[in-house]
Amino acid sequence: MIGVSISGMGWTKIGELWDQSIYDLAEKAGRDALDEAGMPSVDALVVGNMLSGSLSHQENLGACIADRLGITGVESVKVEAACASGAAAVRTGFAMISGGLAQHVLVVGVEKMTDQPPEQVIESLAFANSFETETIVGMTNTSLAALLTSMYVAQAGATLDSLSQFSINAFQKSCSTPWSMFKRSISKEDWSDSPIVSMPLRLLDCPAICDGAAAVVLSSKAAANPLRTRPVEVLAIEGCTDTLSIFERKDPLRFVASEVSCQRALDAASTSLDQIDLFEPHDAFPVMAAISLEAVGLMPVGEGWRYYDVKHASRRLAPIQTLGGIKGKGHPVGASGVYQIIDAVAQIRGRAGPNQLDDVEIAMTQSFGGTASNVYTTILRAGELRA
Amino acid sequence: MKWRDCGIIGLGTYIPRYRLGSEMASRIWGRTDVSCSTKSVAALDEDALTLAVEAGKRAVLAAGIDPVTLNAVWIGSESKPYAVKAMASTVAACLGTSNNISAMDIEFACRGGIEGMLNLARGIESGDFECGLVVGSDVAQSGPADELEYTASSAAAAFVLGTARNAPYVISESVSHVTDTLDLHRRDAASYPAHTHRFSGEPSYFAHITAAVSQFFERTDTQPQDYTFAVFHQPNAKFPRRIAEALGFGRGQFEPILFADQIGNPYAANTMLGLALALSLSSPGDRLLVASYGSGAGSDCFAVEVRDSCDLFLQIFDDPRSNGVPIRDYGEYLVQGRQVLRGESY
């Protein structure tokens, strides 16, 4: 199979970007990625996005963003997989190159969430879930995560205090991440003082409504213009689905799609979990991060919530949320999967600032659509510098 | 700094006596994230017009003038009882002015009264008017269960302006910063305003006030330390604190003027009420900075200098920080606030 590398990256800061439209965001990230790759155009453009139709009155983003970037004439498509849209877009670009249909693909993950009132945003985010069985009875993404958290507490013995560490650590790490929305760490008291949004989830357990765009240029290894400091190869990106409704699963506390996509990715990358130097989970809610740690095998089943309780004592446990995760950076949903890859690439390239880890060779990211009903796992590796 | 030949020669405030505690509405609607505060609620038989008349009467009384000498009656409000029928003419009639006056209503959300005040100052300085009355008055609308229910309140503040010659408080030049920004707004025939949540913050309130104040500092070559008090439009308790600190003011300059936790946000009366409160706390030689904000959007910045000690404040001055009569239950609030009408609407 043809190897795939990252030739260029671009991103906007994540935040309430009042002055920037969905077009502005995508253009900035896309153009910066093309500039870094040293390419005026590519063979194909893939746009990852979930909410453009409902929040920006705009679909056909493939043509739209190609037009805005001035690269019309290329093949272009919008890919949607709820909050995993960005990762799904990377998968699509990866497949195009691996299959020999393109040498260079620009992937742009973009989301503009702040142009509509919160009620409309929340209603649109719920499109990720089962309308027939969940949304129609008033469930939202937050209330589903809250129910799952309650189940996790009741059945796995998880404690809210331990789960709060996923939020607290995320905000601590995000302070120095250039593309992060949140630059202020929180204490345990800040967390416990924050109001209940959906029992038992507090405001500081929930992801922020925000805007952002992140882009990568994927290239075949042979044609890749290696990133100036250090090449990064996309070894594998694999997806898996599960039942749409979490309540139709045999065990709602087991994320099968997370398990399977991770295993597929490890197999495709010919590597194993013990080779992974860092893992960026889908930590939009603490319970999602905790259970995904169990699913990928980093924590025993039923004990993902104890990650931060045991992390300090275990050097072998891969670091997570290294640049703030989704929780600390902000969650522009369709772009988040690409931002996770940007985080991982920053670590591999040695550009993670105060949160730089030592000797990152292989990084793994995982992006969830819905309640882990559509999951993509990406494995990246530091490439070799060409002579 | 250029001081206009115009000053405040009388002022009056009127704040309805009823208070709605935030815990009452939040309990009814199941909110757990609302901080503790009260807001003033107009009684069943009050509206922006009656409030304006009362505040206007007090201002004229405080000025010690014959209302016949008023050349202008200008009312800023976003809760006019009539979409078409000026409040100003009714207020003028109630006060007993002559018929040869400039009378108009001004709408620019919460800065309507201030916009009126600054233009009246220009009219007096130019010699077109000798003295005039400007009022900011609102019985602000908010729908049940809406976020605005906790802050949208009722009050009126009125100033009589005359030439600076005998005025204890003199008004400076001003800067206005206006953009076409759709934050809080209310469509024609809509009962309640639509607000735009977090868009009302950074790109609206903060952007416009920052621009107006910064430009005013530059034009007048002044800085925060040159002012005794800083009066900001206060839609809630947080925003004025944030903007004041961001602009470089110390707590002693803005905390004494804050009243949002006591009476909420009475819209067009807001900044004028803050100015009245600041004047009541001032001494000769003090300089006050005033920054308004009105959705839609715009901000004005000007200064007021205290030239003379003066008792323009009668015993019936309504202090926005003082307590009122607690409303006993949410149902009483719905009735007093005319959210629930008995029989035919009136």
Side-chain angles (χ1 to χ4, degrees), chain A residues 16 18-19 114 117-119 195-197, chain B residues 32-33 147 196-200 202-203:
Chain A
E16 292 170 316
W18 305 111
D19 293 341
T114 59
E119 303 79 35
I196 294 285
V197 171
Chain B
T32 57
D33 58 339
E147 275 179 29
T196 52
H197 302 274
R198 290 182 62 82
F199 185 73
S200 302
E202 200 65 50

Side-chain angles (χ1 to χ4, degrees), chain B residues 65-80:
Chain B
I65 60 168
D66 186 335
V68 164
T69 62
L70 288 170
N71 305 126
V73 175
W74 293 358
I75 317 290
S77 181
E78 53 182 288
S79 55
K80 287 156 56 78

Side-chain angles (χ1 to χ4, degrees), chain B residues 21-330:
Chain B
S22 58
E23 76 288 349
M24 197 167 284
S26 60
R27 183 171 47 82
I28 292 288
W29 299 116
R31 297 277 299 263
T32 57
D33 58 339
V34 179
S35 57
C36 193
S37 63
T38 55
K39 73 168 190 179
S40 58
V41 179
L44 188 59
D45 57 354
E46 295 185 296
D47 61 19
L49 180 54
T50 66
L51 267 59
V53 167
E54 187 58 38
K57 278 184 180 173
R58 295 177 180 189
V60 169
L61 204 57
I65 60 168
D66 186 335
V68 164
T69 62
L70 288 170
N71 305 126
V73 175
W74 293 358
I75 317 290
S77 181
E78 53 182 288
S79 55
K80 287 156 56 78
Y82 297 93
V84 180
K85 163 67 185 83
M87 292 168 65
S89 51
T90 308
V91 172
C94 288
L95 269 84
T97 71
S98 82
N99 297 119
N100 302 115
I101 58 168
S102 167
M104 69 171 172
D105 295 352
I106 302 152
E107 191 279 308
F108 201 125
C110 299
R111 69 181 277 273
I114 291 290
E115 179 76 272
M117 181 179 171
L118 296 176
N119 282 288
L120 187 57
R122 293 183 178 108
I124 289 171
E125 186 176 54
S126 72
D128 279 355
F129 303 128
E130 275 196 36
C131 70
L133 174 73
V134 61
V135 185
S137 177
D138 266 305
V139 173
Q141 312 90 344
S142 58
D146 188 66
E147 275 179 29
L148 287 174
E149 192 167 42
Y150 303 98
T151 54
S153 67
S154 306
F159 296 135
V160 177
L161 304 187
T163 59
R165 189 174 60 248
N166 297 316
Y169 313 115
V170 179
I171 300 169
S172 77
E173 59 183 316
S174 61
V175 165
S176 295
H177 182 81
V178 172
T179 72
D180 186 21
T181 296
L182 188 69
D183 54 321
L184 183 140
H185 57 278
R186 182 165 63 90
R187 287 304 298 261
D188 187 28
S191 297
Y192 308 119
H195 55 89
T196 52
H197 302 274
R198 290 182 62 82
F199 185 73
S200 302
E202 200 65 50
S204 306
Y205 179 91
F206 293 100
H208 291 78
I209 292 184
T210 301
V213 173
S214 303
Q215 289 159 24
F216 184 76
F217 282 160
E218 196 178 318
R219 179 185 290 188
T220 58
D221 194 24
T222 58
Q223 49 190 348
Q225 297 89 308
D226 297 326
Y227 300 92
T228 313
F229 291 117
V231 180
F232 293 97
H233 174 60
Q234 27 188 314
N236 52 56
K238 281 188 190 168
F239 278 18
R241 287 189 170 101
R242 251 179 67 190
I243 191 73
E245 286 175 354
L247 288 167
F249 290 96
R251 296 182 71 87
Q253 292 173 290
F254 60 86
E255 282 285 348
I257 319 301
L258 299 181
F259 55 71
D261 274 344
Q262 284 76 41
I263 66 161
N265 175 10
Y267 287 10
N270 193 306
T271 308
M272 293 176 70
L273 204 56
L275 175 55
L277 176 58
L279 289 174
S280 76
L281 301 172
S282 302
S283 305
D286 286 350
R287 234 179 231 188
L288 280 49
L289 184 96
V290 184
S292 70
Y293 177 74
S295 295
S299 173
D300 315 280
C301 185
F302 61 100
V304 176
E305 188 165 78
V306 182
R307 296 274 169 90
D308 210 350
S309 64
C310 169
D311 185 15
L312 284 185
F313 303 96
L314 310 180
Q315 287 180 351
I316 51 173
F317 169 74
D318 283 352
D319 187 328
R321 298 163 306 169
S322 58
N323 294 327
V325 174
I327 286 179
R328 288 166 298 186
D329 56 52
Y330 191 72

